[in-house]
Amino acid sequence: MKNNEMPSFGLKVDPNAPKTTTGPRLDQNAPAMEKQEVAASTPEATKETAAESKKTFDVDATEGQIVKKTSVFKKLFQTMATGLSRSLNRKVEAVKAVGSKIGEVNEKVASSLYTAADPKAKGIENMSVPEVTGNLGKAAGNAVVEGTSSVARGVEKSFNPEGKDLMEMGLGEMGQNFFNTIDDKVSDLGESLENGFKKLMKWAEKKIEEQNKIMNARLIMEQQAAEAAREKRKENLDKVKKAIGAQWNSLVEYGKNSIAKASTERKYHKSLYNQTLNNWKLDGMKIELAKMEKAIREQGDKTAAGEADIEHYKEKLASMENKTKQMNTVEMTFTPTQEASQEAAA
Amino acid sequence: MTIQEAKEFFATSDFSEETKKKIAAVFEGKRALDEKVLTAVKALMQEELNKDFAESGVTLTEAQENEAAGIYAKELEKVDTELAEDTKFVETELKALDDVRKKMMTVSDAIDADAIRASI
């Protein structure tokens, strides 16, 4: 079955079937009394006959029997219609339920069902159950009257399935035969409809399954896309995390270097301070030596003792200068070795 | 400088034998010339220099001492100021980085939560 193609309901109408009547066949060549009966079988005549059934019953036994039977037939038809209507009433609920279900999948299919129930497009929600029942009944009735020869024949023979003489049959027998036939036909019709609904349900379930497959495939694709997007974002976050880590380490290293630099500079300035003091003291010694030499020269006391004092002081000064230079060398050039730094760090 | 090079340097220096012995004792057992060794050695050298200056009758005036101390203090202040600026810079940058890290963790948690919801 192709998509959106509505399946057969199981009702087949034969357009070539012969036209049938729904009532007993009457002999057109019968005497006037029988012609009168033909006229009485029309709707208007039937009403009048039914109203006067009591009155005509006693006038002529034969005619009265026929009139009485005709009246009964009318009642039987009404009963049949009511029975059919009640039976169809249950089916309408099924039609509504199935139509509603199918409507989720395929509005086109649903509309064809709704068209039968609501030919004037009033809106099935706004319609009464009897109205919907009536519409469906008409649709089903039309199928029976216009096309279904088997049903029509069944109705025609319903009163007399065994081909007995009608005039010899009792009303009870005819009524019983009629009800049996109607029950069968209604049952057949119901079964036919039920089979149609089953096919529809199967078709709808298949459609739903296909839709579900499509939905599931779409869902999987969406999930995969979302997963890929998440992975990408995580990847980007990892990059940022690494960049933050690198920047963090760089800053920490910068901080450590600043502290080490400050420590080195403090030592350097301490060394400069010590050197300055030592150099100034050396300068003081040099000034002292110059004063000493000047005093001796001015006094003209170039004695051996005086020269010896000056020489001793000069030697002392030279030694002090060397020590100071060595001290400065240590201050400025002696730094901890790499091995020592590693040991300290350990 | 290695400790061996330092030992050779002091062996030919003008410092007294007494000071040299003390310095040698400081080097004793040391495998490397570390900060502690250097500080101890410099203290011994300065001690001898101070003693020599005292014997020579050389002293600094109060003004000279104040001037040297002033220069030293000013230089130390510069060093401290520079270190404080560097410290502040590092702290500010680290805080900014930490803020980014926290936001990033929030986003990361949200992604994880989303993944969990999707898996249910």
Side-chain angles (χ1 to χ4, degrees), chain A residues 101-307:
Chain A
K101 180 97 176 173
I102 292 164
E104 296 171 7
V105 182
N106 193 327
E107 287 183 7
K108 192 176 176 183
V109 175
S111 70
S112 65
L113 278 172
Y114 275 94
T115 301
D118 182 17
K120 293 181 180 176
K122 292 180 179 176
I124 201 160
E125 296 82 7
N126 304 321
M127 294 165 70
S128 65
V129 171
E131 190 177 359
V132 174
T133 305
N135 289 338
L136 282 174
K138 281 176 191 171
N142 287 340
V144 172
V145 172
E146 292 173 8
T148 311
S149 58
S150 62
V151 174
R153 277 196 296 276
V155 171
E156 187 175 349
K157 292 178 182 176
S158 62
F159 305 102
N160 186 13
E162 294 174 4
K164 291 180 181 177
D165 183 353
L166 193 66
M167 299 309 289
E168 291 178 358
M169 291 175 72
L171 284 173
E173 186 183 3
M174 286 184 179
Q176 190 58 50
N177 288 339
F178 182 79
F179 277 120
N180 288 343
T181 305
I182 293 303
D183 281 349
D184 288 345
K185 296 305 171 191
V186 169
S187 176
D188 289 345
L189 183 61
E191 194 177 337
S192 179
L193 277 170
E194 197 170 331
N195 287 336
F197 293 142
K198 279 178 183 173
K199 285 181 183 176
L200 259 180
M201 286 299 290
K202 204 169 178 182
W203 173 81
E205 281 169 4
K206 194 175 173 187
K207 286 299 291 182
I208 289 168
E209 194 179 338
E210 285 173 3
Q211 288 293 99
N212 282 342
K213 279 181 187 172
I214 292 168
M215 292 295 285
N216 285 340
R218 192 176 295 162
L219 192 65
I220 288 167
M221 283 174 69
E222 284 173 358
Q223 283 174 342
Q224 286 174 343
E227 182 63 26
R230 273 196 296 275
E231 287 299 320
K232 185 69 183 170
R233 290 185 75 190
K234 290 286 261 183
E235 202 175 296
N236 291 338
L237 281 176
D238 282 344
K239 285 180 187 171
V240 175
K241 204 186 284 182
K242 281 181 185 169
I244 288 174
Q247 183 70 6
W248 189 283
N249 291 338
S250 173
L251 280 166
V252 170
E253 194 62 26
Y254 179 85
K256 282 182 184 173
N257 288 340
S258 292
I259 293 168
K261 184 183 160 202
S263 174
T264 304
E265 285 182 353
R266 281 197 194 101
K267 285 171 198 160
Y268 170 76
H269 288 298
K270 176 70 176 173
S271 295
L272 279 184
Y273 173 70
N274 289 334
Q275 282 180 49
T276 303
L277 292 181
N278 290 337
N279 289 337
W280 282 357
K281 284 175 184 175
L282 275 177
D283 289 344
M285 283 184 75
K286 286 174 187 172
I287 293 167
E288 197 61 32
L289 177 63
K291 282 181 185 173
M292 195 187 291
E293 282 184 314
K294 189 183 177 186
I296 290 170
R297 304 268 186 276
E298 282 177 352
Q299 287 173 6
D301 185 12
K302 279 203 167 187
T303 61
E307 289 295 330

Side-chain angles (χ1 to χ4, degrees), chain B residues 31-47:
Chain B
R31 289 182 299 173
L33 193 66
D34 61 23
E35 194 71 43
K36 200 173 175 181
V37 170
L38 276 175
T39 304
V41 167
K42 283 192 280 185
L44 289 169
M45 293 167 79
Q46 190 62 48
E47 188 181 317

